[in-house]
Amino acid sequence: MEPLVDPDTMAVIKQILSNLICNDNDLRSSAERAVNEKLAETPEVYLLALVQLARTEPNEVMRSFALVLLRRILFRPLPDSPSVLRSTRITLYDHLSEPTRTALERALLSALSHEPSASVRPKLADTITDLASASFERGRPWLALQAQSFSATLDPDQRQRESAYRIFGNVPALMGDQQVDAIVRVLQRGLQDPESLEVRHAALRASVAYLSSSSPQAQAQAQGLLLYMLDTLPPLHASRAPAFIQTLTTLASSPATAHLFAPHLPALLHYLPPLILPQFNDPGPTPTISRPFPSPEASGSKTPNGGGPTTPTQAGRSAFTFPPTQKAVVPPTDDADHEHEQETRRSALELLVGLSEARPGMVKRMEGWVALGVRACLEGMGEIGEGEEGGGGTGQGVRKLDEEAQGLKEWLDADPANDPSDEFYPHVYEESLDRLACALGGKVLLPHAFQYIPGMLKSHEWRIRHAGLMAVAVVGEGTHKVMANELSEVVGLVLPMFNDPHPRVRWAASQCLGQLCTDLEEIIQERFHREIFSVLIPALEAPEARVHAHAASAFINVCEGVERQTLLPYLEAIVRRLLAMLQPTSPGWVQEQAVTTLAMVADVSEETFRTYYSSIMPLMMNVLRNAHGVEHRRLRCKAMECAGLIAIAVGRDTFRPDSQEFVELLMRLQNGPMDPEDTMLPQYLSATWAKVCQALGPEFEPYLPVVMPPLLHGAAVKADVSIFDSEEEEGVPADREGYETVEVEGQQIGIKTASIEEKCHAFEMLVIHCSTIGAKFSPWLPQVLQLVLPGLRFIFHDGVREAAALLIPMLLVCGKKSSTLTPDMLNSVFSELVDDIGKEEDPSFLASAYKCFTDSTRVVGQESLPPAVYEGILRSTQNQIQMLAQKRKRRAEKSPRELQEERDDVALLEEMEEFAFEEMGKMLQFFDPAHPLLYAISSLKELGIRTELWDKEGD
């Protein structure tokens, strides 16, 4: 291939790249300036030089760097680009001439054909991928790449085959215009590659991408491909299995493609047990000492669906029944393989759980599937270790007593927020059981779980008793409807565990009871409050700090769903024990928990808490006066929160004598030097100011000049949105810490969570101040209104939008009462609401937006609305009715089986739409009780799926 750039220019570009990767900061800075100059002067020449370097440079590092730089420069948004999304942003690629684009494409394809390095080829394939994706998005298919890739799948060089399938996996559009049968043959050939696991895995990724992007009709035609995809699994060593399983999980966990696994569930049920159930060497018959469940060898049990034994290599054949028969997964032979085995185990469990979440109805019908998932989770939950040597779990026997004692001591002494043993806690198995419970419901899951849980709670091994309690705790959320009917038996199992000899089991008992009080809120507190308090109050005096602190934590969950009159008989006993935790000899984290729980108890008991005010408020204020060290950051924040809640509980008359000093303490904290590492203080300060405002009412108005500036600053925060490199990386890259990432149009879009949480918190505090202060809030009305109206469209955080919708009517009340409401303000408010309602696509917020409009109209009066507002809201409502009708019609056209599979999502959508219809109707009735659109809403409701009928069939 002819050179694209003359030698002199190439020499200059090569020197610039060499300087970019050198260690000398001055040279690197100079090279960066040179790059920007070249891009400004001759961008096309610079890009062609980079691709020529990637094709001809002898040095691998330089070739790799040229490719990375080419990708970043080619698709970096230009300064005047209006969007961060790939489909709408303007990049350098969009400004290239057609000859340059063609030259780039030809050079990259040439490089792909000749690149010898295994480390460079992936970067080359990814660069080609980006270029191909950009071409397809702009309606310019890269036909030469398509032809070369299909041809490369037959190449004798396995590197060429692997690259071809890698590109197909990244750009499935390259396969989109081909016959389904032809694509299946190409992918099948890669899946059965006789030489290379890398080729088989790339073909597997390509197969997943193809099926994921295909229409339902094409998926049905390609159904047979899944057999060959699954057949890549059995011969894998434990070190290679996770990557293959995780790739398949992408397909299994998507509701759009999970149904493809339906014919293969029996085979998966043979394959998965050896991976997700530990294979014990000691087949001892007692399930309560070394493990909760007998091994297959000991019990002679069959696989859950009645097949053969579940160990990986029994009978010398695969657990899979797919043809051709292959060897099973190779088990680890020494300690070095243990981590690979555990990763394989976790990956296999994720496949099972992901498929169950995507198609719960499908897996429920597969006998043995749910039983396997529940047992796998319970086994894993019993494997608690205090160190790397202690992570083997119960199947490897009891650890030495001295190691056991040392591990327990470390756990007892650790601050729960910084517990080193948490690294070895089996969180993944708890989370998996929770997800299964939420996906499958109590009617299906609870019988399997409680087949084991009672026996686990009677085990001689503390880890198994602990796991049994945590199992009860984690299944509550997803099974609460059914569990409520069996609550007496459940509570009867949990209560005796508060007398367990092992502190970690007693800790788990508090965790279990607290979680049940959250998941079955009000139900369990109403029916079993005597039993709950009879065990939790004594637990506050447990000899171990870790245990009595967690009992105090559980009281927060109890109080969230308990009636005031129910709590009062126990109030003195609770407060006395919590105050005992505030002794100077208690660890700081125990004092923090006691203060937090006291705040919640005060909140529930309200004015009755006045009895304890004189004992507790001075303690809280003393903390604020004297706790200045770094080690007291959390305690200081908890103390101010507690004092604020107590002030609300006891009322302004009781609080007023201390209010001035308390406010001065808060002002000293706010105006003092801020520690940049203390991220808790600003949020706790603003929340405490709001509590003091609630306690004092209108008397708080003189302090608004102190409180409002930080709130206005927080409310004005913009969303910090970034685009991250889509290359796969180990762990969480440093530049993504603190960001929540979502994939949009194949890109990783990062949103900085701290900034949007700060904004949401500020909006919520503004709601409290405005609603409490009333007309005296008017000096701040223009500034707040200017921030709140854009908040209705803040798509990055629902809390901001909901707070804005609540705040607008309050601001109008403030303006009306203070006579500061101007016509311009009214016009801005109603124009914004009408516009937002017409465009809103989220039915849950649509209800809030309509309520905001109706409440605002009631405040100012119908006669104050300009005719354009009335006409506009009717147009927006007609638009919403049409959009919701189309959505409901499309939903109704789905098959009963599809609806059953998606019942939870459909039920949630229908419920949100019903709320929207209700608020829409209230708005119309306000204007005209017989408005014609009310009949349209009634008809629209009849298009619903009637999800309430499902509830009659069980949870």
Side-chain angles (χ1 to χ4, degrees):
M1 183 174 180
E2 292 293 324
L4 301 172
V5 179
D6 65 85
D8 292 340
T9 302
M10 284 300 301
V12 172
I13 301 296
K14 183 176 179 180
Q15 186 58 55
I16 292 174
L17 261 63
S18 299
N19 292 344
L20 280 174
I21 59 177
C22 75
N23 294 325
D24 188 304
N25 291 333
D26 292 336
L27 280 176
R28 193 162 59 248
S29 299
S30 175
E32 289 170 357
R33 289 193 297 271
V35 168
N36 292 329
E37 290 171 3
K38 293 292 182 184
L39 287 174
E41 296 168 1
T42 53
E44 296 195 353
V45 172
Y46 183 70
L47 292 174
L48 291 173
L50 287 177
V51 77
Q52 185 163 317
L53 273 175
R55 188 170 61 87
T56 61
E57 169 60 34
N59 185 292
E60 287 185 16
V61 174
M62 289 290 286
R63 294 204 303 277
S64 293
F65 186 60
L67 289 165
V68 170
L69 202 56
L70 178 64
R71 288 177 68 196
R72 291 181 177 173
I73 291 174
L74 198 54
F75 300 107
R76 184 171 61 191
L78 295 179
D80 57 346
S81 178
S83 172
V84 298
L85 299 183
R86 176 180 287 155
S87 61
T88 54
R89 70 186 185 190
I90 305 300
T91 67
L92 181 56
Y93 175 85
D94 295 290
H95 288 277
L96 296 181
S97 65
E98 191 60 30
T100 298
R101 282 202 196 97
T102 302
L104 282 173
E105 292 173 352
R106 288 176 179 170
L108 287 170
L109 291 181
S110 173
L112 187 65
S113 299
H114 300 95
E115 177 56 58
S117 170
S119 64
V120 177
R121 290 191 68 84
K123 295 181 177 64
L124 181 55
D126 290 342
T127 303
I128 290 172
T129 289
D130 280 2
L131 203 62
S133 297
S135 295
F136 275 102
E137 287 165 6
R138 290 157 177 79
R140 184 181 175 279
W142 191 351
L143 299 179
L145 172 63
Q146 184 182 50
Q148 180 167 316
S149 297
F150 276 112
S151 176
T153 63
L154 297 167
D155 198 290
D157 188 341
Q158 69 183 40
R159 296 172 301 179
Q160 295 293 337
R161 300 196 300 273
E162 191 269 340
S163 293
Y165 287 113
R166 183 185 182 100
I167 291 169
F168 282 139
N170 291 334
V171 194
L174 288 168
M175 301 179 279
D177 62 347
Q178 303 295 304
Q179 292 293 321
V180 174
D181 291 344
I183 294 296
V184 169
R185 285 195 297 271
V186 170
L187 294 172
Q188 177 186 336
R189 186 164 60 242
L191 294 167
Q192 294 179 311
D193 194 276
E195 296 180 9
S196 170
L197 277 177
E198 283 70 23
V199 173
R200 293 205 289 274
H201 186 229
L204 184 63
R205 289 183 68 248
S207 301
V208 167
Y210 175 69
L211 292 172
S212 298
S213 61
S214 296
S215 65
Q217 295 77 15
Q219 287 178 358
Q221 284 183 267
Q223 172 79 47
L225 181 64
L226 200 64
L227 177 69
Y228 300 98
M229 296 167 67
L230 290 167
D231 214 22
T232 61
L233 299 177
L236 296 172
H237 186 275
S239 63
R240 302 303 300 269
F244 282 73
I245 296 172
Q246 289 161 14
T247 300
L248 276 169
T249 301
T250 304
L251 197 69
S253 58
S254 169
T257 52
H259 66 281
L260 298 171
F261 288 80
H264 307 288
L265 289 182
L268 282 170
L269 206 50
H270 276 282
Y271 174 73
L272 292 174
L275 302 183
I276 62 178
L277 297 178
Q279 302 301 305
F280 298 111
N281 296 322
D282 172 19
T286 306
T288 57
I289 295 178
S290 64
R291 59 190 180 280
F293 318 107
S295 66
E297 296 88 351
S299 62
S301 66
K302 304 293 183 180
T303 50
N305 67 337
T310 62
T311 49
T313 56
Q314 283 175 328
R317 63 182 179 81
S318 168
F320 260 104
T321 57
F322 307 141
T325 302
Q326 302 191 49
K327 293 180 181 179
V329 171
V330 180
T333 57
D334 53 44
D335 292 342
D337 284 337
H338 176 71
E339 182 51 41
H340 292 311
E341 180 190 44
Q342 291 304 309
E343 187 180 359
T344 300
R345 181 182 176 189
R346 292 188 292 267
S347 299
L349 181 60
E350 178 60 29
L351 173 63
L352 182 147
V353 174
L355 189 54
S356 301
E357 289 177 316
R359 292 284 172 167
M362 180 179 78
V363 301
K364 286 177 187 178
R365 294 187 291 270
M366 185 65 218
E367 183 182 354
W369 184 272
V370 180
L372 173 63
V374 169
R375 180 180 166 185
C377 293
L378 293 177
E379 295 241 20
M381 288 169 63
E383 299 175 9
I384 303 171
E386 287 81 20
E388 294 184 1
E389 294 82 12
T394 59
Q396 297 181 9
V398 180
R399 290 170 34 171
K400 295 179 181 179
L401 291 178
D402 57 341
E403 292 177 343
E404 187 81 26
Q406 179 62 28
L408 177 59
K409 183 179 185 303
E410 291 176 1
W411 180 83
L412 288 171
D413 293 342
D415 180 345
N418 189 26
D419 182 359
S421 69
D422 191 60
E423 179 184 354
F424 309 104
Y425 188 82
H427 293 289
V428 66
Y429 298 102
E430 282 187 10
E431 293 164 2
S432 297
L433 184 60
D434 178 28
R435 291 165 59 193
L436 282 175
C438 292
L440 303 173
K443 186 177 179 182
V444 172
L445 185 130
L446 284 182
H448 294 287
F450 279 89
Q451 176 185 353
Y452 300 114
I453 287 172
M456 296 172 72
L457 296 178
K458 295 177 181 178
S459 172
H460 294 295
E461 168 58 59
W462 73 263
R463 290 175 175 82
I464 305 307
R465 302 196 301 275
H466 183 285
L469 286 166
M470 297 306 293
V472 176
V474 299
V475 301
E477 179 186 3
T479 67
H480 62 276
K481 291 181 182 178
V482 175
M483 189 180 280
N485 301 325
E486 309 294 335
L487 204 49
S488 178
E489 289 78 5
V490 174
V491 172
L493 287 172
V494 174
L495 294 183
M497 307 309 292
F498 279 85
N499 297 317
D500 195 275
H502 201 285
R504 294 197 68 166
V505 177
R506 283 183 273 119
W507 180 97
S510 290
Q511 173 69 20
C512 180
L513 203 53
Q515 191 62 48
L516 288 175
C517 287
T518 295
D519 295 332
L520 292 98
E521 187 173 321
E522 298 182 0
I523 299 172
I524 188 171
Q525 287 96 323
E526 180 182 349
R527 291 169 54 187
F528 297 100
H529 60 86
R530 291 186 185 87
E531 293 83 351
I532 292 170
F533 288 121
S534 72
V535 293
L536 272 183
I537 291 175
L540 293 173
E541 296 182 302
E544 306 90 358
R546 191 82 186 261
V547 177
H548 63 236
H550 203 60
S553 175
F555 262 107
I556 294 176
N557 303 61
V558 177
C559 288
E560 285 174 343
V562 76
E563 293 292 332
R564 175 175 174 271
Q565 293 301 321
T566 302
L567 178 67
L568 292 184
Y570 309 100
L571 186 59
E572 192 277 333
I574 295 169
V575 172
R576 177 163 48 83
R577 287 164 173 81
L578 290 173
L579 286 174
M581 293 185 196
L582 295 176
Q583 298 301 317
T585 54
S586 296
W589 49 270
V590 173
Q591 296 180 43
E592 293 161 14
Q593 184 58 65
V595 168
T596 304
T597 306
L598 278 170
M600 178 58 73
V601 172
D603 189 42
V604 176
S605 56
E606 297 175 348
E607 67 270 12
T608 308
F609 204 77
R610 290 172 185 159
T611 305
Y612 310 101
Y613 179 85
S614 61
S615 301
I616 297 173
M617 184 59 87
L619 292 175
M620 301 301 107
M621 294 176 69
N622 190 51
V623 170
L624 297 182
R625 288 189 204 99
N626 302 309
H628 303 307
V630 173
E631 69 278 11
H632 295 131
R633 283 175 182 164
R634 284 189 300 177
L635 180 60
R636 185 174 57 211
C637 290
K638 297 294 184 182
M640 73 173 71
E641 177 187 51
C642 180
L645 284 171
I646 290 174
I648 295 172
V650 301
R652 76 183 67 169
D653 292 336
T654 303
F655 174 59
R656 189 180 287 114
D658 294 312
S659 63
Q660 183 61 38
E661 183 183 359
F662 186 62
V663 164
E664 288 173 358
L665 288 170
L666 295 182
M667 291 173 64
R668 190 178 73 183
L669 286 170
Q670 180 165 303
N671 297 329
M674 280 287 183
D675 181 353
E677 295 184 5
D678 189 356
T679 56
M680 297 174 64
L681 182 59
Q683 186 165 334
Y684 271 87
L685 260 176
S686 62
T688 304
W689 281 122
K691 292 177 178 66
V692 176
C693 177
Q694 289 173 286
L696 294 178
E699 296 176 22
F700 184 79
E701 187 264 339
Y703 304 117
L704 284 179
V706 176
V707 175
M708 288 300 293
L711 281 184
L712 293 174
H713 178 270
V717 166
K718 305 292 185 184
D720 187 348
V721 181
S722 301
I723 303 174
F724 294 117
D725 198 322
S726 60
E727 289 184 2
E728 297 177 3
E729 301 180 59
E730 292 284 334
V732 180
D735 63 346
R736 299 194 195 186
E737 290 183 7
Y739 283 81
E740 181 180 343
T741 58
V742 292
E743 186 168 327
V744 180
E745 299 180 0
Q747 298 170 102
Q748 292 294 320
I749 304 297
I751 305 166
K752 193 169 186 178
T753 53
S755 60
I756 61 174
E757 290 296 338
E758 178 187 358
K759 188 181 186 77
C760 181
H761 177 77
F763 267 68
E764 290 168 349
M765 297 306 102
L766 287 171
V767 169
I768 293 173
H769 288 295
C770 183
S771 62
T772 305
I773 301 298
K776 291 184 178 181
F777 193 76
S778 59
W780 309 96
L781 175 60
Q783 289 174 270
V784 175
L785 198 58
Q786 196 172 11
L787 292 169
V788 166
L789 293 179
L792 293 168
R793 304 187 304 273
F794 193 76
I795 61 172
F796 302 106
H797 200 301
D798 290 340
V800 172
R801 306 181 77 202
E802 294 291 347
L806 278 175
L807 195 48
I808 286 172
M810 296 177 186
L811 292 170
L812 295 179
V813 170
C814 167
K816 186 175 182 181
K817 288 183 176 180
S818 61
S819 301
T820 56
L821 199 58
T822 66
D824 284 343
M825 289 180 182
L826 282 178
N827 184 59
S828 297
V829 166
F830 286 100
S831 297
E832 186 69 45
L833 283 171
V834 169
D835 187 53
D836 290 348
I837 286 172
K839 297 175 181 177
E840 185 57 54
E841 296 183 0
D842 179 0
S844 64
F845 185 70
L846 184 62
S848 301
Y850 268 108
K851 186 177 188 309
C852 177
F853 182 90
T854 306
D855 291 347
S856 300
T857 306
R858 292 183 194 278
V859 171
V860 302
Q862 182 178 344
E863 66 282 356
S864 299
L865 291 183
V869 171
Y870 177 68
E871 295 167 2
I873 194 63
L874 289 184
R875 282 196 304 272
S876 293
T877 302
Q878 289 173 331
N879 183 46
Q880 283 293 343
I881 289 174
Q882 291 172 357
M883 289 194 298
L884 289 167
Q886 291 170 359
K887 290 178 181 178
R888 290 203 156 191
K889 286 177 182 177
R890 285 196 296 268
R891 213 176 293 147
E893 291 170 357
K894 293 185 176 183
S895 68
R897 187 163 186 171
E898 283 181 299
L899 288 172
Q900 186 63 24
E901 295 290 353
E902 301 169 11
R903 57 175 289 179
D904 291 339
D905 292 338
V906 171
L908 183 59
L909 275 173
E910 298 264 314
E911 184 180 12
M912 291 190 297
E913 289 170 356
E914 290 298 323
F915 285 134
F917 294 147
E918 182 179 348
E919 295 300 334
M920 196 184 294
K922 289 178 181 178
M923 183 274 297
L924 291 169
Q925 286 173 340
F926 176 75
F927 288 110
D928 180 0
H931 198 287
L933 286 179
L934 289 169
Y935 300 102
I937 293 173
S938 298
S939 301
L940 196 51
K941 289 182 177 181
E942 295 300 318
L943 291 175
I945 303 296
R946 302 293 302 277
T947 55
E948 70 273 8
L949 297 178
W950 286 334
D951 293 334
K952 297 178 181 179
E953 301 173 4
D955 180 38

